[in-house]
Amino acid sequence: MTRREPRSACPIATTLDMVGDRWTMVIMRDLICGKKRFSQFLASPERITTNVLTDRLAAMEEDGLVIRRSYQERPKRYEYVLTEKGEALLPVLQDICRWANRYMPDTWTPPDHFMRKRTGGGDASS
Amino acid sequence: MTRREPRSACPIATTLDMVGDRWTMVIMRDLICGKKRFSQFLASPERITTNVLTDRLAAMEEDGLVIRRSYQERPKRYEYVLTEKGEALLPVLQDICRWANRYMPDTWTPPDHFMRKRTGGGDASS
DNA sequence: CGGGATCCTAGTGGATACTG
DNA sequence: CAGTATCCACTAGGATCCCG
């Protein structure tokens, strides 16, 4: 498993040191619509390999972004779900989509229910 | 100079293929408050090296995220500024800051004028 | 099905010295 | 000042095969 140490106390640099690698945010995208299994990630169009997927999921679990549930079945089954901390990154993903749809015309427009979705703890200030 | 080809037509994956490396968003952070010179980036706490900085700035210029202005002086002087396309990523940086300040307590709180700043073309729909 | 074990590449980053 | 030019190290990421 591979994680990065924060380079500074800057919120942007620190966040990027956690989720700013080549795959973490793509995995989170797959998890927005709910739980997913190992083989379902592999089916995404970006074609992540088993090796990297294992590595990223383990790091994300340790960082508290996802939870891995195991079921006692035959053959064994696992499911990955976003934690609240992970879900709270949804606005970032939505902003990225808006930006891409404006400046990179060859990208899909995400489904409406994704762009309208709201995460639980908006801003608890005051 | 190093750029990545998009892995898919997904807006998230495509955007990450452009700005999702270890340095691009950190450089953009430095540019939010206005123009910067080469040596000013080097002074940031994350300690980027000249080699990597040159590489990233060139890629960002080719991607239309920054403009490099040169002045005919002695010694020669250059300035880097965000384009409108680059500035439009500001909401992403702000969301990242909000997220970090909530879930990664050891990070700074950015100055208020940064979090309140708005980019020109909000959403021109309807 | 959900990985682990291996081995390998190439992208990323770093140190140092030099130049227009 | 603002880079180039080398050379080098590390590791994220990939290919392939194997296993409980």
Side-chain angles (χ1 to χ4, degrees):
Chain A
M1 198 242 322
T2 318
R3 294 170 70 214
R4 268 197 255 265
E5 288 311 307
R7 287 164 284 186
S8 71
C10 166
I12 294 172
T14 306
T15 301
L16 262 35
D17 285 334
M18 181 180 295
V19 306
D21 68 299
R22 197 161 164 63
W23 288 105
T24 299
M25 304 266 273
V26 172
I27 292 172
M28 299 191 65
R29 172 206 64 189
D30 285 344
L31 284 171
I32 294 288
C33 49
K35 56 183 156 45
K36 279 257 174 339
R37 303 176 55 176
F38 195 83
S39 49
Q40 295 182 289
F41 292 111
L42 295 177
S44 286
E46 289 84 12
R47 322 262 46 227
I48 194 172
T49 58
T50 67
N51 215 344
V52 178
L53 180 57
T54 304
D55 186 82
R56 295 336 292 149
L57 284 171
M60 292 169 74
E61 192 182 6
E62 198 173 289
D63 286 332
L65 299 172
V66 301
I67 290 175
R68 174 175 128 134
R69 298 188 194 134
S70 86
Y71 296 85
Q72 300 310 322
E73 302 179 352
R74 273 279 345 268
K76 226 159 175 346
R77 184 163 62 92
Y78 298 91
E79 283 176 355
Y80 298 87
V81 210
L82 286 181
T83 61
E84 186 230 328
K85 180 177 176 181
E87 266 209 49
L89 272 170
L90 178 62
V92 175
L93 298 182
Q94 290 170 331
D95 282 343
I96 287 177
C97 284
R98 279 186 208 101
W99 186 85
N101 286 165
R102 190 166 318 165
Y103 294 99
M104 322 227 310
D106 292 344
T107 55
W108 328 315
T109 303
D112 226 57
H113 69 268
F114 167 74
M115 293 306 285
R116 292 198 191 289
K117 191 170 177 182
R118 299 211 146 270
T119 139
D123 182 48
S125 67
S126 87
Chain B
M1 200 242 322
T2 316
R3 294 169 70 215
R4 267 198 255 264
E5 289 311 306
R7 288 164 283 186
S8 70
C10 166
I12 294 172
T14 306
T15 300
L16 262 35
D17 285 333
M18 181 179 294
V19 306
D21 68 299
R22 197 161 164 62
W23 290 104
T24 299
M25 305 266 273
V26 172
I27 293 172
M28 299 190 66
R29 172 205 65 187
D30 284 345
L31 284 171
I32 294 288
C33 50
K35 55 184 159 42
K36 279 258 173 339
R37 303 174 56 176
F38 195 84
S39 48
Q40 295 181 289
F41 293 113
L42 295 176
S44 284
E46 289 83 11
R47 323 262 43 230
I48 194 172
T49 59
T50 66
N51 217 340
V52 177
L53 180 57
T54 304
D55 186 82
R56 295 335 292 149
L57 284 171
M60 292 169 75
E61 191 181 6
E62 198 173 289
D63 285 334
L65 298 173
V66 302
I67 291 175
R68 174 175 129 134
R69 299 187 194 135
S70 85
Y71 296 85
Q72 299 311 318
E73 301 178 355
R74 273 276 347 271
K76 225 158 175 349
R77 184 164 61 91
Y78 299 89
E79 282 176 358
Y80 298 86
V81 210
L82 285 182
T83 61
E84 186 229 329
K85 180 176 175 181
E87 267 209 48
L89 272 170
L90 178 62
V92 175
L93 298 182
Q94 290 171 332
D95 281 343
I96 287 176
C97 285
R98 280 187 207 99
W99 186 85
N101 286 166
R102 189 165 319 165
Y103 294 99
M104 321 228 310
D106 292 343
T107 55
W108 328 315
T109 303
D112 225 57
H113 68 268
F114 168 74
M115 294 305 284
R116 293 199 190 288
K117 192 169 176 184
R118 299 213 145 267
T119 140
D123 182 49
S125 67
S126 83

